[in-house]
Amino acid sequence: MQKLFILVCCLLGSSWAMGQDYTMSGNGSVKVIKDSRLDVLIKKQIYINTLAIRNQSGFRVQVISTNKRGDANEAKARVMQLYNDYRTYLDYQAPYFKVRVGDFKTREEASELRDKLSNLFSGGVFVVPAIINVSPDKELSNEEPY
């Protein structure tokens, strides 16, 4: 009986208590104040996200294909010393080691480097299709400022 009385008192007491004061909330609107620089950051992030994944189809210049790792490493070191502006890659596709240079979106861009490198390597220098690495920094520097 005593438990029932306490339960009824709690229920009646909770109905009189108010969780919110409706008179102070007015029309129920919320005012949001934000920094205008957030819009710039949002636009930059949208652009970065819309870059087709950082790996895109493109071209690289292949300077050597050999089954000797030492020869491939020497060729890579030589290219890195002479043309340190371009990334140099050593790929292994059994049983060959291939040294490839650059990340070019078009064959024409890669052909310019191929012409420069053809004098250094006697085995033949070729432009080959590859999956290239696109750095967002370069993409953003080419984009107009917001």
Side-chain angles (χ1 to χ4, degrees):
M1 182 72 173
Q2 192 176 21
K3 290 181 183 180
L4 183 62
F5 178 72
I6 292 174
L7 179 63
V8 170
C9 287
C10 288
L11 288 175
L12 290 175
S14 65
S15 66
W16 289 315
M18 298 180 69
Q20 296 179 346
D21 185 8
Y22 295 110
T23 59
M24 295 186 123
S25 64
N27 60 2
S29 64
V30 176
K31 184 177 180 181
V32 176
I33 301 171
K34 69 174 181 173
D35 192 348
S36 62
R37 294 177 291 179
L38 287 175
D39 292 329
V40 174
L41 288 174
I42 290 169
K43 287 181 183 178
K44 283 185 180 181
Q45 189 62 46
I46 288 171
Y47 179 74
I48 289 171
N49 290 343
T50 56
L51 286 176
I53 306 175
R54 305 290 186 272
N55 300 324
Q56 296 179 350
S57 296
F59 299 92
R60 290 193 176 139
V61 178
Q62 180 172 308
V63 295
I64 192 171
S65 178
T66 180
N67 57 0
K68 298 178 183 173
R69 180 182 290 213
D71 293 347
N73 284 330
E74 288 175 17
K76 180 179 178 183
R78 201 159 94 188
V79 171
M80 288 175 69
Q81 287 176 349
L82 296 173
Y83 297 97
N84 57 1
D85 299 346
Y86 301 103
R87 290 177 119 182
T88 307
Y89 302 91
L90 177 62
D91 297 332
Y92 178 69
Q93 296 173 353
Y96 297 106
F97 294 94
K98 299 178 180 186
V99 176
R100 295 181 175 174
V101 183
D103 293 311
F104 302 101
K105 289 186 177 181
T106 64
R107 186 176 288 274
E108 290 77 26
E109 293 174 358
S111 296
E112 292 175 15
L113 181 62
R114 180 199 62 205
D115 295 340
K116 294 176 187 176
L117 289 171
S118 62
N119 297 332
L120 299 173
F121 296 95
S122 60
V125 179
F126 304 100
V127 175
V128 294
I131 302 298
I132 63 171
N133 300 318
V134 178
S135 67
D137 298 337
K138 285 185 180 179
E139 291 291 325
L140 287 175
S141 66
N142 293 338
E143 186 70 16
E144 294 179 9
Y146 292 102

